[in-house]
Amino acid sequence: DQQVKQNSPSLSVQEGRISILNCDYTNSMFDYFLWYKKYPAEGPTFLISISSIKDKNEDGRFTVFLNKSAKHLSLHIVPSQPGDSAVYFCATPLGGSEKLVFGKGTKLTVNP
Amino acid sequence: KAGVTQTPRYLIKTRGQQVTLSCSPISGHRSVSWYQQTPGQGLQFLFEYFSETQRNKGNFPGRFSGRQFSNSRSEMNVSTLELGDSALYLCASSLDSSIYGYTFGSGTRLTVV
């Protein structure tokens, strides 16, 4: 059973608009979340993270929101740019800090 | 500094064969983790090595194995290949066995025919 779920396999938005990528998790003990971005033929690269002691973390155009009661987090990209087109994964550490559990990813397409 | 290097980038193998993939971590990084990415399952943890010792293992059959050398380079091996092993295999290195400092390589695309 998936512990981290990204229920939208794909998302398409217009350049300049907001992109919202969602992620749900099953275990309320999870206390740290990361977002990775992956371009084709490249490895994932770290984008932004959030600890459960916060409900929001911002880095430039990227903001991650955490709703612990709903076991839900979301990544907001404002404004979206064509270069943001990639697959986005949310992830959380499992069994300490030595491995990550990933969602299946959401493919974001930003149209010019 | 050089990133995480995985070789080969692409590989085609036949069912029943075995394959060895290589990962050279960032200089100074002692932890290497391996992940399998497939369209249906996303990214799944295979195993993690730190200072030549396997520290963690994911839920994969024994056909999947790995090792780490004294220079931190790591190899993973898959024996008796099955069609379902076709995937992108990614390795990630970090300084201190922590996922917070992961740097991923570009992966090896394995196709089993």
Side-chain angles (χ1 to χ4, degrees), chain A residues 32 38 41 43 97-98 100 104, chain B residues 9 35 40 55-56 99 105:
Chain A
Y32 193 84
K38 185 181 183 302
S97 64
E98 291 147 1
L100 287 172
K104 291 187 178 181
Chain B
R9 289 296 306 273
Y35 287 81
R55 295 278 297 269
N56 282 283
I99 55 91

Side-chain angles (χ1 to χ4, degrees), chain A residues 2 31-32 34 36 38 41-46 87 89 93 95-104, chain B residues 9-10 33 35 37 40-43 45 48 55-58 88 90 97-100 102 104-106:
Chain A
Q2 274 212 292
D31 61 3
Y32 193 84
L34 306 93
Y36 281 82
K38 185 181 183 302
E42 293 183 15
T45 54
F46 171 74
V87 179
F89 294 94
S97 64
E98 291 147 1
K99 62 181 178 182
L100 287 172
V101 172
F102 285 86
K104 291 187 178 181
Chain B
R9 289 296 306 273
Y10 303 92
S33 299
Y35 287 81
Q37 185 189 4
Q41 297 300 320
L43 278 141
F45 174 78
E48 186 250 351
R55 295 278 297 269
N56 282 283
K57 191 175 191 306
L88 180 67
L90 293 156
S97 187
S98 166
I99 55 91
Y100 305 107
Y102 263 3
F104 279 90
S106 297

Side-chain angles (χ1 to χ4, degrees), chain A residues 4-40:
Chain A
V4 178
K5 299 178 185 178
Q6 293 177 258
N7 292 318
S8 298
S10 62
L11 175 67
S12 182
V13 301
Q14 285 300 120
E15 181 178 6
R17 307 294 290 270
I18 184 171
S19 296
I20 300 176
L21 298 103
N22 295 304
C23 181
D24 297 298
Y25 58 97
T26 57
N27 191 334
S28 58
M29 298 298 290
F30 292 157
D31 61 3
Y32 193 84
F33 300 91
L34 306 93
W35 283 93
Y36 281 82
K37 177 166 117 173
K38 185 181 183 302
Y39 293 116

Side-chain angles (χ1 to χ4, degrees), chain A residues 40-110:
Chain A
E42 293 183 15
T45 54
F46 171 74
L47 192 58
I48 192 170
S49 62
I50 189 166
S51 164
S52 62
I53 62 172
K54 293 184 170 184
D55 53 18
K56 175 182 173 181
N57 189 26
E58 193 170 355
D59 184 1
R61 296 186 297 113
F62 302 90
T63 303
V64 57
F65 296 91
L66 177 61
N67 182 333
K68 291 183 285 293
S69 61
K71 297 200 282 287
H72 176 84
L73 62 154
S74 60
L75 174 67
H76 292 212
I77 306 173
V78 185
S80 301
Q81 300 173 354
D84 296 330
S85 298
V87 179
Y88 290 79
F89 294 94
C90 65
T92 188
L94 190 66
S97 64
E98 291 147 1
K99 62 181 178 182
L100 287 172
V101 172
F102 285 86
K104 291 187 178 181
T106 297
K107 182 176 181 181
L108 173 66
T109 302
V110 181

